[in-house]
Amino acid sequence: GNGCPGTQAGVAIFDPASNTFSAGADLPGGRAEHTATTLNDGRVLITGGLFGDFCNMDGLIYDTAVVFDPATSSYSSEKKMRESRYGHSATPLLDGKVLVVGTTAELFDPATSSFVITGDPNVTWTGRLATRLAELHERHGRRVTLVGQSLGGMYARHMARRAPDMV
């Protein structure tokens, strides 16, 4: 490739019972550098991302989110976020909400399908990961396996050194 992000609209749904993938409804508009976060009820929150030709500076950064329901292979109507973002994080919380952090922090509430501004947007990536690690460790009462590649792998190694009793 040429190093430019490609936007994709295709969706594949994995069925662990049969160990197979099937095609799902295409994502409204292609996206790259977005997040896809599984909600407690099995639906998937898709936030932000890039669309278009970024090598030629002709593209769009999304300020919207959709919720995909794999049971019906359908999407909710788009929800507006406070800012356009890509390469951000979307962390599921124990209460079912999702913390979406770029240059600002927003909380998505699946019960109301809405976003609200929350907290300090200057919290570090490792701080968010450490918080989530502690939540999972407490919830399950055992060590948490972290897997990542590239930058994600560096974060996983960092957390293993920082909290060896939890990883």
Side-chain angles (χ1 to χ4, degrees):
N2 58 6
C4 297
T7 56
Q8 300 292 319
V11 172
I13 301 171
F14 179 69
D15 179 1
S18 64
N19 200 32
T20 60
F21 286 92
S22 61
D26 283 352
L27 182 61
R31 293 181 189 228
E33 301 289 325
H34 57 284
T35 60
T37 307
T38 303
L39 303 173
N40 287 347
D41 63 7
R43 295 178 303 149
V44 181
L45 173 67
I46 300 163
T47 61
L50 305 171
F51 176 78
D53 182 358
F54 284 86
C55 290
N56 294 312
M57 301 306 287
D58 182 25
L60 164 76
I61 302 172
Y62 283 106
D63 64 353
T64 58
V66 294
V67 176
F68 176 69
D69 186 342
T72 61
S73 194
S74 64
Y75 295 88
S76 68
S77 57
E78 289 188 333
K79 306 298 178 197
K80 200 93 151 121
M81 297 183 294
R82 177 180 172 152
E83 69 177 11
S84 301
R85 54 172 57 101
Y86 69 95
H88 54 286
S89 69
T91 306
L93 304 176
L94 294 177
D95 64 2
K97 296 176 182 173
V98 178
L99 179 63
V100 180
V101 179
T103 56
T104 62
E106 297 182 62
L107 205 55
F108 176 77
D109 186 345
T112 61
S113 290
S114 62
F115 287 90
V116 294
I117 301 300
T118 186
D120 182 356
N122 298 314
V123 175
T124 66
W125 285 73
T126 54
R128 288 190 304 274
L129 183 56
T131 299
R132 182 67 175 150
L133 176 63
E135 286 178 344
L136 290 170
H137 183 261
E138 181 179 328
R139 176 194 238 174
H140 298 288
R142 63 178 190 237
R143 290 177 179 226
V144 177
T145 301
L146 298 177
V147 178
Q149 71 180 52
S150 189
L151 185 58
M154 290 174 23
Y155 283 148
R157 284 190 302 277
H158 174 78
M159 297 303 345
R161 287 187 197 112
R162 182 175 173 180
D165 57 318
M166 289 190 239
V167 179

